[in-house]
Amino acid sequence: MTSRYRILSCDREEFSQLRRELHRRAFPNPELAERVRSILERVRAKGDTALVELTRELDRVALSPSEFCRKDPPKRPAAAIHKALCWSLANVRRFARASRPKDWRIRNREGAWVGERFLPLERVGVYVPGGTAPLISTALMTIPFAREAGVREIAAVTPPPIDPVLYYALRSAGATEVYSLGGAQAVAALAYGTETIRPVDKIFGPGNSYVVEAKRQLFGLVAVDLLPGPSEVAVVADEHAQARFVAADLLAQAEHGPSSRILLLTPSRKVLEEVIAQIEEQTETLPRRSMVESVLRDHALFVSTRTLEEALELVGEFAPEHLSLAVRRPHEALRQVRHCGAIYLGSYSPVAAGDFLAGPSHTLPTGGSARAFDGLRMEHFFQRTSVLEYSKAALARVEPQIARFAQIEGLAAHGRSASVRLDRGIRAKEAGLLAEKGPFG
Ligand SMILES: NC(=O)c1ccc[n+]([C@@H]2O[C@H](COP(=O)([O-])OP(=O)(O)OC[C@H]3O[C@@H](n4cnc5c(N)ncnc54)[C@H](O)[C@@H]3O)[C@@H](O)[C@H]2O)c1
Ligand SMILES: [Zn+2]
């Protein structure tokens, strides 16, 4: 079959080649890094003055520092829109509450209590993209987690002018401050603070490459959640898959932007051909047709594998943001799938449901980073502390081992801090240990 798309039929040799190709790593782009570095430095050095200049240069909006923070009450949108927002909010809040981390403790080998305590962060910043489209769903998929976690101060930033429905969504989701600021400069303001914005402890949310690079550079000064990039989807389809559904899911992600990536893996050549025919048919009627076509041309890959197992193995190598398992036995396939951001099981779970309202956050790792990074989740809004409690009896049981470590590491005061509590002859003991030989002889 000839096609304008990239189609691979995967035999033994191509399989290992494709495995290598699909195993991606994201490197920072040096020019972009330099550009972002200079924006961050301007905000650090000149505060609000830099924010006024950058907002004029990059967003083409003239704002004075007193106009950054929006204080006006939000206007309630039309009933039908309001209902959709509430639907999403209810699902996300419920998911957030159910996934709240719980304090726990166990007794260790010597009978002391050891455990973890989770406290909500005090002040966070949430970036909500707004450059090309007001990502209202992003407001609903980040801020409620902070709110349900018990974070007291939630500062949301989004590029001006703020869409009225987005403003309403930011407020109803629980933002306690909303700033008309976008791009790397908004991230810098959250991290460094300016005359009008107090710095935050952690920065959340997706954004374009400037926003993500700013988070990467500021990591350490503040905490960040993850570095989400352009959207992507992989679909694994078997011979039972509905080509119409599969094509629709692939096109939905292609619609996100020119750098979106889409991947289809199927052991059925027939399904592959049907999906491509469906893509051509469905693309005709999409409003963002030209963008979708450029994604299909430059960032789409259609692979026919020998078996379903091979398809599932390759998809683990790709570690996609979204994975749809359009197969007859999705739960069985799930067991064979390795890392990815979110998995959609069966024929009736469109990725768009997760994008807009299902419950788990749609802020997910991209570019292969799902191999090690999690999508945004409740735990990210907590700071975790370990808690330890010894009784005298527990300490007595283990004190000789503490003394031994103290000796190995040459830290006598450490050893003494245990033995002194047990009234064990301190000096005699230390003298004895120090007189002994080294660990290996
Ligand atoms: N992975 C995820 O979970 C996820 C979820 C939602 C959105 N996203 C991604 O978020 C992104 C949204 O991007 P967007 O552009 O629409 O909005 P955005 O708000 O992220 O970026 C707009 C800002 O970029 C800055 N900017 C634009 N051009 C610049 C330049 N030349 N130099 C410096 N700064 C510049 C401007 O200040 C502007 O305010 C998309 O790439 C989308 O895929 C990812
Ligand atoms: Zn999507």
Side-chain angles (χ1 to χ4, degrees), residues 59 61 63 67-72 74 128-131 133-136 139 156-171 177-182:
D59 299 291
V61 177
L63 289 180
E67 292 168 313
F68 293 153
C69 187
R70 288 276 300 263
K71 298 244 163 64
D72 51 312
V128 178
L135 288 180
I136 289 154
V157 293
T158 189
I162 305 181
D163 171 88
V165 180
L166 175 57
Y167 185 59
Y168 181 85
L170 291 167
R171 288 286 181 203
E177 296 156 48
V178 177
Y179 296 94
S180 298
L181 291 167

Side-chain angles (χ1 to χ4, degrees), residues 122-125 153 155 177 187-194 196-203 221-222:
E122 314 240 325
R123 178 171 171 77
V124 305
E153 298 180 13
E177 296 156 48
V187 181
L190 291 172
Y192 296 126
T194 69
T196 53
I197 303 170
R198 277 180 306 114
V200 301
D201 301 315
K202 186 166 179 176
I203 299 174
L221 176 67
V222 285

Side-chain angles (χ1 to χ4, degrees), residues 32 35-36 39 54-55 57-60 127-135 137-138 157-160 181-186 205-212 226-232 256-260 321-322 355 361-366 376:
L32 176 78
R35 169 119 184 90
V36 169
I39 293 175
L54 288 161
T55 302
E57 283 166 32
L58 298 170
D59 299 291
R60 316 236 160 263
Y127 190 93
V128 178
T132 47
L135 288 180
S137 57
T138 300
V157 293
T158 189
L181 291 167
Q185 60 276 20
N208 66 13
S209 51
Y210 300 97
V211 170
V212 174
L226 62 152
L227 303 175
S231 215
E232 54 193 33
H256 274 295
S259 329
S260 302
E321 178 190 19
H322 305 102
D355 279 356
S361 179
H362 74 195
T363 303
L364 294 166
T366 58
L376 184 70

